[in-house]
Amino acid sequence: MSISISPVLQKERIDILDVLRGFALLGVMIDNLFGFTGWTYFTDEHRKSLSTWPTDGVIAAVENIFVSGKFYSIFSLLFGIGFSIILIRNEQKGLNPFRIFYKRLFILTLFGIFHILFLWEGDILLLYAIIGLSLPLFRKCSDRALLILAGILILSPILLDSLAVLLQIKFGDKLEAVAVSIDMKTGLPLDKKSYSRYLFTDESGWKEWRNWQTSGWAYRYSYILNSNRIPKVLGMFLLGFYAGRKMMFARLTEHISLLRKLRFWGLVIGIPAGIASYYFQITQKEIPNPAGLLQTLFYTTSVVPICLAYTSIVCLYWIKKEGNTVLKFLAPLGRMALTNYIMQTVLGIFIYYGIGLGLGGDIGPSLFIPIGIIVYITQIIYSNWWFKYFQYGPLEWIWRQLTYGKRLALKK
């Protein structure tokens, strides 16, 4: 009797995982808005010239402490859980789980390449797909080994940045040089003030957007290397793989004690470390300057603890309400996380870049975060409406069609 490989059916889904994906999309969007609006590239003089300063500065500090990096880490955790689900589900059916896993990653790679080259340089899909290729190597690791490896990888930026200080190098320097050479050819200004406003002037159009994207991938992966993102993401993948292997999210009530400890210690450790990380970020020099190691230390010890605390808070509230909570409205958002993630990019470009409404360049977080929250609420409403009539999100349907090689019904 042959058993066909098929995607996870709605009745097989674990709602809390979709809720967490939907929750993570809020933080990811807020984080990304600092790039879409140009705020990340503004000079201090430019920021302080805005009518919403100093409120903007306070909000930016709060975002840095409580949002930046934490929600991407939730996505990384969920990616590892997703791998475990594919592994367990297909092995139970007597099927080769790696065939479907690698096909899914190949399609995700294509989405990531398109996203980073033709839409936005801040893409995370390609990085996840590339790092995800290594996950099968850890399949036979014991639970203890997975946790040890995850811990080592998550803390590795401290060692890697110490090495960068010792050797007086930045790991992404060569890629940044490539990006600068591309900018020189396309005519992007190299001074920070002009560069920060390049996409947001009245004259900025399709040409400027394409010039920006031409070097964007190189800047992106230069940053990924400099910030030691690769081992951190892999560490979170392994942590998620462990949680998925133990079926923790399918049996939440059995882990209430652990979730409470993660909530408590995550906040107790993460918040002070996050505050210290922000302080040293704005007052100290960057790696390879030795003073930059303090920021590395506190950033490393803030992101994952706060990520795990947020995850635990959502799970504990879900348990308390037995799933009968407003959080259930986030599940459809999470079920079509890929579609909503790409949609956030398209809307960010349309609202803030010169090729659209052109609101970026002179707007601070006091204004663009409320706009982002309105977009997020709209996505919640749209996603809930969508699943009244359809079984998959638009891009999720395409992803599954290409992965499973069979025609899947989009409509219910």
Side-chain angles (χ1 to χ4, degrees):
M1 178 179 177
S2 64
I3 304 175
S4 62
I5 300 176
S6 60
V8 175
L9 302 175
Q10 172 57 24
K11 64 182 180 180
E12 298 177 301
R13 299 187 70 91
I14 301 173
D15 286 341
I16 186 59
L17 296 181
D18 287 327
V19 167
L20 285 168
R21 289 187 187 95
F23 173 66
L25 278 170
L26 173 62
V28 167
M29 181 197 61
I30 290 174
D31 220 0
N32 290 344
L33 284 173
F34 285 77
F36 286 129
T37 60
W39 176 270
T40 298
Y41 311 106
F42 289 178
T43 62
D44 288 339
E45 181 183 5
H46 185 182
R47 292 173 180 172
K48 292 177 181 178
S49 70
L50 300 179
S51 61
T52 47
W53 186 269
T55 304
D56 285 339
V58 174
I59 294 175
V62 171
E63 191 277 339
N64 186 283
I65 295 166
F66 293 98
V67 177
S68 182
K70 287 73 176 178
F71 289 81
Y72 275 115
S73 295
I74 295 176
F75 261 129
S76 301
L77 187 73
L78 293 169
F79 189 97
I81 293 172
F83 169 65
S84 70
I85 291 173
I86 292 174
L87 192 68
I88 294 169
R89 182 173 175 270
N90 286 290
E91 282 188 332
Q92 287 175 345
K93 291 185 175 182
L95 300 170
N96 180 358
F98 302 116
R99 178 186 169 196
I100 192 66
F101 178 71
Y102 283 124
K103 286 186 71 175
R104 282 178 63 83
L105 283 190
F106 175 72
I107 305 303
L108 186 64
T109 299
L110 297 181
F111 277 120
I113 290 173
F114 177 82
H115 192 218
I116 197 168
L117 293 182
F118 299 105
L119 290 177
W120 189 53
E121 71 279 359
D123 168 76
I124 198 69
L125 303 176
L126 182 58
L127 179 67
Y128 276 22
I130 293 172
I131 298 176
L133 292 172
S134 66
L135 274 176
L137 298 175
F138 303 94
R139 174 194 173 196
K140 295 185 178 181
C141 287
S142 67
D143 292 342
R144 175 184 162 93
L146 279 178
L147 290 176
I148 291 174
L149 284 171
I152 291 172
L153 288 166
I154 289 167
L155 294 174
S156 66
I158 300 171
L159 175 62
L160 292 172
D161 276 352
S162 297
L163 183 63
V165 169
L166 183 63
L167 300 177
Q168 284 297 290
I169 61 171
K170 293 179 71 175
F171 297 116
D173 274 351
K174 290 186 177 180
L175 269 179
E176 184 173 342
V178 170
V180 171
S181 67
I182 293 173
D183 285 348
M184 292 177 67
K185 292 177 182 178
T186 56
L188 260 73
L190 297 181
D191 64 288
K192 187 174 181 180
K193 184 176 181 179
S194 300
Y195 186 85
S196 68
R197 298 184 60 83
Y198 184 74
L199 292 174
F200 310 104
T201 65
D202 292 337
E203 294 76 28
S204 299
W206 293 94
K207 178 182 177 182
E208 285 72 23
W209 179 40
R210 297 319 311 152
N211 287 343
W212 183 272
Q213 285 306 114
T214 301
S215 61
W217 65 272
Y219 280 118
R220 174 62 172 167
Y221 277 85
S222 170
Y223 168 75
I224 284 172
L225 291 174
N226 285 335
S227 60
N228 306 301
R229 182 74 63 88
I230 293 174
K232 287 190 291 187
V233 169
L234 180 56
M236 292 305 294
F237 281 2
L238 295 183
L239 204 57
F241 182 30
Y242 168 82
R245 176 192 277 180
K246 306 296 285 185
M247 297 296 290
M248 294 175 67
F249 289 89
R251 299 192 291 264
L252 283 178
T253 54
E254 298 177 14
H255 301 284
I256 291 177
S257 177
L258 174 62
L259 291 170
R260 286 174 175 167
K261 289 177 182 177
L262 289 175
R263 178 182 61 184
F264 177 79
W265 289 110
L267 296 177
V268 167
I269 296 172
I271 292 177
I275 294 171
S277 171
Y278 179 71
Y279 171 78
F280 287 113
Q281 179 179 317
I282 62 176
T283 61
Q284 299 289 345
K285 296 181 179 180
E286 297 180 350
I287 300 295
N289 189 296
L293 286 174
L294 288 171
Q295 197 275 331
T296 299
L297 171 65
F298 288 112
Y299 184 80
T300 301
T301 52
S302 70
V303 170
V304 175
I306 292 179
C307 157
L308 295 178
Y310 287 167
T311 303
S312 299
I313 289 169
V314 171
C315 290
L316 287 168
Y317 187 71
W318 183 263
I319 294 169
K320 181 179 179 180
K321 297 296 182 178
E322 297 180 345
N324 187 24
T325 164
V326 292
L327 291 179
K328 65 184 179 182
F329 292 105
L330 297 182
L333 186 73
R335 282 177 61 191
M336 51 191 287
L338 176 62
T339 295
N340 283 312
Y341 173 69
I342 298 295
M343 189 186 297
Q344 288 177 358
T345 292
V346 173
L347 290 173
I349 292 170
F350 173 72
I351 294 171
Y352 299 108
Y353 286 12
I355 59 173
L357 300 179
L359 297 185
D362 287 300
I363 184 173
S366 299
L367 297 177
F368 66 67
I369 288 182
I371 292 173
I373 291 173
I374 291 172
V375 169
Y376 179 75
I377 293 172
T378 303
Q379 286 191 307
I380 293 174
I381 296 170
Y382 170 78
S383 299
N384 277 271
W385 171 85
W386 179 269
F387 283 109
K388 289 182 179 179
Y389 305 98
F390 302 98
Q391 300 191 80
Y392 308 102
L395 294 185
E396 285 73 15
W397 180 73
I398 295 172
W399 192 5
R400 283 162 172 76
Q401 288 276 98
L402 296 174
T403 299
Y404 295 98
K406 60 174 69 175
R407 186 172 181 177
L408 302 172
L410 177 60
K411 291 186 176 181
K412 287 186 175 180

